[in-house]
Amino acid sequence: HFYMIGREALYMNGKKLRYGLVFIVLTTLIYMLMELRYGLPIRPLRPKHYAAAAVLAACSCLIHSRRAAASPGYAGELLLGCRNQPGRIVYMDYLRVLASFLVILVHVLEPAYALLPPHTFSRNVMAAAAGLGLSCNLLFMMLSGALLLGGREESVLQFYSRRFVRVLIPCFAYYLLYFFYVEGIFALSPGNWGSLIQSFLSNDSGQTPHFWLVYIILMFYVAAPFFRIMLRHMTEPMLEALAAVIFILHFICTYGPLVHIQFAASSFLASWDSIFLLGYYCTTRSAMKHYRLFMTAGLLSGLAIAGSIMAPESLGPLVYNNAPPQMLFTCAVFLFFRKHGDRLFARIPTLLSAIGRYSFSILLIHWLVLHRIVGDVFGINGLSFGIAGGILVSFLLTLVISLALSFLYDNTVVLCMDRACEIFFGVLGRVGKRLGRFAK
């Protein structure tokens, strides 16, 4: 009996020791992340900043411990997502990883080839690679459309409270991180929150130019519940007609002005919103029926994109972003991964699964990492070790640091903000129920 009591006491002491160690390590990491904005080496210890980091770490540990007690596989999901969950669409995890790789690569290549002499072979190859890499924007949108529009049935209120808020909170949290790194902790004082929210809504700070994609995704989340109902009631011929209209309108809006043809009003089917609908279309049987057509068109479009960008007078604006060649190229990539999803992309390695799990956060934070940490702190860019070496080192450093910071920031700041919103909406729900009962 005394042996069992002693063994249980040792276990509890060991558990407390582990929790204490995790708390200290997490507090130190948060503190170092805060101090990193001042450059290397880290300044002498600042007690107030360390205390603030300790409060954030304590709240995070409390939330994680409660969730871990309720879910045995919580630690694995935290790092890798639900990759072993039955029915998981693994090829989409690969597409998330690919989109994350491409968005970093594009932003490494663009400032690098801008420093090279015009019309040289190296510059042309880098520009063409960046042009093809811009398919990352469409991949992020198509993945959002495929998952949102093909998801399970839920009410509009449930969709907004569970999905829209879960995307909005990380966006705002990372926006605050950019402000902190540029202007310091005083930018986040309570007196500045009104201007911060206004700046976030308009994205006019100049610190987050890559957030244009994020805002388009957010706006689509607003309309997604209604598009979902519309698409699910469409027959296969109607879906094919919708996809055809999207491509035709994009073609006219892109190339019509070259022959003085321009619509008096714009159509959402010729805007970025239609890319989300194409993502859903690429998950249907109808799209796979035209697999060879998409592969051929995608290959020709890829050659057209590379050739246009390398031309003496760059024709890039006519072939990338949401121009038809980039749309066809991205659809071909999407369908290729879907076609081989049961064989080549049926299982995903651990590291790639972690990157896919935090792909959206990598999209949000990579700009800061690339320019403020890899560029300003480490002094490394795409040409630092020659063209090949500089691009590779910049890419890998940005990817690794972005993944590490995404994991840390998501599971501390974003986690606490998300939990605060859950509590807030829970209180509102209970108040609403009581008011409803009182009215009856």
Side-chain angles (χ1 to χ4, degrees), residues 119-344:
H119 310 308
T120 58
F121 177 77
S122 298
R123 180 189 172 102
N124 286 341
V125 171
M126 292 169 67
L132 292 172
L134 285 172
S135 58
C136 62
N137 297 326
L138 282 74
L139 280 176
F140 276 115
M141 294 181 184
M142 291 176 68
L143 283 168
S144 297
L147 293 171
L148 288 176
L149 300 176
R152 65 178 185 273
E153 289 286 348
E154 54 189 338
S155 69
V156 175
L157 183 60
Q158 287 177 329
F159 180 90
Y160 286 148
S161 61
R162 294 179 181 177
R163 297 180 183 266
F164 179 70
V165 173
R166 289 292 175 86
V167 175
L168 179 64
I169 290 173
C171 292
F172 185 61
Y174 278 95
Y175 194 81
L176 295 180
L177 180 63
Y178 279 86
F179 257 87
F180 167 73
Y181 260 80
V182 173
E183 301 184 19
I185 192 67
F186 298 104
L188 307 182
S189 60
N192 294 329
W193 274 73
S195 60
L196 278 174
I197 293 175
Q198 289 179 349
S199 178
F200 170 72
L201 293 175
S202 59
N203 194 29
D204 60 358
S205 67
Q207 307 300 331
T208 54
H210 64 297
F211 267 43
W212 70 268
L213 174 62
V214 176
Y215 287 95
I216 292 177
I217 293 175
L218 283 173
M219 289 300 100
F220 182 76
Y221 266 71
V222 175
F226 313 105
F227 278 122
R228 177 189 294 178
I229 296 172
M230 177 188 76
L231 292 173
R232 287 186 174 181
H233 287 81
M234 283 188 173
T235 62
E236 186 172 306
M238 292 175 68
L239 279 173
E240 291 184 341
L242 175 64
V245 169
I246 289 173
F247 278 107
I248 292 171
L249 287 177
H250 274 273
F251 184 89
I252 296 174
C253 289
T254 303
Y255 305 118
L258 298 178
V259 291
H260 308 291
I261 297 176
Q262 195 165 358
F263 291 135
S266 60
S267 169
F268 79 94
L269 291 179
S271 68
W272 283 106
D273 298 278
S274 61
I275 306 300
F276 295 92
L277 304 184
L278 281 181
Y280 172 80
Y281 173 73
C282 286
T283 63
T284 63
R285 292 186 304 170
S286 176
M288 293 307 296
K289 286 169 51 179
H290 306 293
Y291 178 78
R292 292 185 178 180
L293 176 61
F294 273 109
M295 289 299 107
T296 303
L299 177 61
L300 295 176
S301 296
L303 295 174
I305 293 170
S308 299
I309 294 174
M310 291 190 295
E313 294 184 4
S314 177
L315 303 175
L318 298 178
V319 292
Y320 57 61
N321 285 334
N322 60 336
Q326 193 72 273
M327 293 167 61
L328 289 168
F329 178 76
T330 309
C331 286
V333 172
F334 193 106
L335 291 174
F336 175 81
F337 277 81
R338 183 189 170 193
K339 173 75 171 180
H340 302 284
D342 295 333
R343 291 179 297 159
L344 297 178

Side-chain angles (χ1 to χ4, degrees), residues 73-125:
Y74 178 73
E77 293 179 7
L78 199 66
L79 180 62
L80 305 176
C82 304
R83 67 170 183 163
N84 297 321
Q85 183 179 1
R88 181 77 177 179
I89 308 176
V90 181
Y91 80 85
M92 289 193 181
D93 292 329
Y94 274 97
L95 286 173
R96 289 190 193 93
V97 174
L98 177 61
S100 301
F101 285 174
L102 290 178
V103 72
I104 295 175
L105 182 62
V106 167
H107 290 145
V108 170
L109 287 172
E110 286 181 337
Y113 75 72
L115 299 175
L116 297 177
H119 310 308
T120 58
F121 177 77
S122 298
R123 180 189 172 102
N124 286 341
V125 171

Side-chain angles (χ1 to χ4, degrees), residues 12 37 46 237 353 363 370 416:
M12 293 302 296
R37 73 171 296 269
R46 298 169 66 88
S353 181
L363 166 66
L370 176 61
C416 291

